[in-house]
Amino acid sequence: MLSSQKGFTEYALQLAHSYFFGYQWIWYQQWLKYNWIGILGGRQIGKDAFLEFCVALEIYVHPDTTYLVMSATKDHAKVFMRGVRDWIDRFDAIHHSLGSAPPVIKADNALEVFFAHNSGLRVASGTVRAVTGTRGGVIFNEVPLIPEAEDIFPSAAAQVDQALRLGKRAKLVMVGNASYIGTFWHKWWHEQERLTGLNRSDFHLITTRWSDAMKARGATRAQRNYEWKKIVARLGGNVAAAKQWYQCSWRSPMGALYDDKLLQHVFQSDFFAQKFSASDHV
């Protein structure tokens, strides 16, 4: 482990505590314990912010550790990279406060950052080509919005498995809101749930609904109901869409389609805005 100066990791985790809520620390314990993870979560609960921290700390501290994070588009991928860079800047500040030198960055642009200790992150839009040749961890950031997710998954799983067999630090993380019944994401999630015993899934599954996150933050029933009514109203009264995107409810493909881009205008709960950046809407 690099950055092994006494206190660095402790300070980094203390800093993260000022950004995250209790349920995200439960996620973090699962991150530390498992290499194969599935996260089904509502919107506006900080999934991106959590993953940005985890990836940043992994590549900052551990040598020969690489991650590929795939998003729906290159622009979405760049937003994730900016979040990781923010954490790297915070980690550098901790080193300076301790009087120690931070790791040296040897490559840094909109789509990748790599350190001299041979660790780094690459972000890309989700394609089979993007995952080809990967020799480390892979994260599908918002699976249902990645058109080629079903084609990419076998290759990504093989790459992560090979990295683990070689003794590298690597994880395969599948993250997303609920989608339509019958989609790859829906079938994949329920297949992992069904596998038990000798055929059990290697994936550790985590489900966190928007209402769960609100409760964890201390919102009363009245406050939760008030916020929920605002969300439904911003979605034009489409309760089914609200339950899909916020409450992890798989939705019938026969339901009316709703433009995902309009979610950008959905009310951002004050309960989360205090800690999550404005860009962290998923």
Side-chain angles (χ1 to χ4, degrees), residues 134-188:
T134 299
R135 292 294 183 270
V138 178
I139 296 176
F140 287 69
N141 188 20
E142 206 55 46
V143 179
L145 299 183
I146 300 176
E148 297 182 36
E150 185 169 8
D151 297 326
I152 301 168
F153 176 74
S155 178
Q159 300 285 11
V160 172
D161 184 64
Q162 181 181 28
L164 291 171
R165 290 176 184 275
L166 292 174
K168 296 179 178 290
R169 298 179 66 88
K171 299 178 187 293
L172 178 55
V173 184
M174 305 282 282
V175 184
N177 306 126
S179 63
Y180 291 102
I181 295 171
T183 60
F184 164 69
W185 178 227
H186 170 260
K187 291 185 290 186
W188 181 90

Side-chain angles (χ1 to χ4, degrees), residues 26 35 83 108 118 138 152 187 192 217 223 230 254:
I26 295 176
N35 293 324
D108 187 9
N118 201 32
V138 178
I152 301 168
K187 291 185 290 186
Q192 307 312 310
R217 181 66 198 273
Q223 289 171 326
K230 283 189 173 184
M254 300 303 291

Side-chain angles (χ1 to χ4, degrees), residues 80-156:
F80 189 94
M81 177 61 83
R82 288 198 293 271
V84 170
R85 270 202 201 84
D86 286 344
W87 278 109
I88 290 174
D89 289 342
R90 295 176 188 123
F91 296 158
D92 284 350
I94 291 174
H95 268 294
H96 294 316
S97 70
L98 294 173
S100 55
V104 175
I105 293 178
K106 68 176 183 180
D108 187 9
N109 58 57
L111 296 175
E112 67 176 23
V113 58
F114 278 85
F115 294 95
H117 56 264
N118 201 32
S119 291
L121 166 68
R122 181 166 60 92
V123 299
S125 57
T127 64
V128 174
R129 181 177 180 180
V131 78
T132 302
T134 299
R135 292 294 183 270
V138 178
I139 296 176
F140 287 69
N141 188 20
E142 206 55 46
V143 179
L145 299 183
I146 300 176
E148 297 182 36
E150 185 169 8
D151 297 326
I152 301 168
F153 176 74
S155 178

Side-chain angles (χ1 to χ4, degrees), residues 24 27 49 61 92 116 137 186-187 194 254 272:
Q24 288 168 300
W27 293 351
V61 170
D92 284 350
H186 170 260
K187 291 185 290 186
R194 286 193 298 268
M254 300 303 291
F272 300 102

Side-chain angles (χ1 to χ4, degrees), residues 13-263:
L13 293 175
Q14 287 178 357
L15 177 63
H17 269 284
S18 67
Y19 285 84
F20 298 139
F21 303 121
Y23 63 90
Q24 288 168 300
W25 288 109
I26 295 176
W27 293 351
Y28 185 63
Q29 294 304 315
Q30 309 309 304
W31 170 275
L32 294 177
K33 186 175 181 180
Y34 300 100
N35 293 324
W36 308 85
I37 303 171
I39 301 177
L40 178 66
R43 285 182 178 265
Q44 298 183 358
I45 66 173
K47 299 190 298 295
D48 275 13
F50 161 74
L51 290 171
E52 289 160 2
F53 166 74
C54 290
V55 171
L57 190 61
E58 284 271 313
I59 64 175
Y60 195 90
V61 170
H62 300 284
D64 198 25
T65 300
T66 60
Y67 275 87
L68 166 66
V69 175
M70 292 182 291
S71 301
T73 67
K74 186 177 290 186
D75 286 341
H76 288 161
K78 289 179 179 178
V79 171
F80 189 94
M81 177 61 83
R82 288 198 293 271
V84 170
R85 270 202 201 84
D86 286 344
W87 278 109
I88 290 174
D89 289 342
R90 295 176 188 123
F91 296 158
D92 284 350
I94 291 174
H95 268 294
H96 294 316
S97 70
L98 294 173
S100 55
V104 175
I105 293 178
K106 68 176 183 180
D108 187 9
N109 58 57
L111 296 175
E112 67 176 23
V113 58
F114 278 85
F115 294 95
H117 56 264
N118 201 32
S119 291
L121 166 68
R122 181 166 60 92
V123 299
S125 57
T127 64
V128 174
R129 181 177 180 180
V131 78
T132 302
T134 299
R135 292 294 183 270
V138 178
I139 296 176
F140 287 69
N141 188 20
E142 206 55 46
V143 179
L145 299 183
I146 300 176
E148 297 182 36
E150 185 169 8
D151 297 326
I152 301 168
F153 176 74
S155 178
Q159 300 285 11
V160 172
D161 184 64
Q162 181 181 28
L164 291 171
R165 290 176 184 275
L166 292 174
K168 296 179 178 290
R169 298 179 66 88
K171 299 178 187 293
L172 178 55
V173 184
M174 305 282 282
V175 184
N177 306 126
S179 63
Y180 291 102
I181 295 171
T183 60
F184 164 69
W185 178 227
H186 170 260
K187 291 185 290 186
W188 181 90
W189 186 269
H190 287 284
E191 180 182 6
Q192 307 312 310
E193 288 184 324
R194 286 193 298 268
L195 295 177
T196 59
L198 294 177
N199 296 318
R200 71 176 180 80
S201 170
D202 285 327
F203 280 87
H204 179 72
L205 303 182
I206 303 168
T207 300
T208 306
R209 299 170 181 81
W210 176 86
S211 57
D212 298 331
M214 289 288 284
K215 289 179 184 178
R217 181 66 198 273
T220 65
R221 181 185 296 275
Q223 289 171 326
R224 297 196 302 271
N225 289 339
Y226 177 74
E227 301 290 343
W228 179 251
K229 288 178 180 178
K230 283 189 173 184
I231 288 173
V232 173
R234 289 296 181 93
L235 289 170
N238 193 326
V239 177
K243 287 183 177 180
Q244 174 190 335
W245 284 316
Y246 288 83
Q247 292 295 86
C248 303
S249 178
W250 301 100
R251 191 175 174 196
S252 168
M254 300 303 291
L257 293 176
Y258 196 86
D259 188 353
D260 184 74
K261 292 181 180 178
L262 295 180
L263 284 173

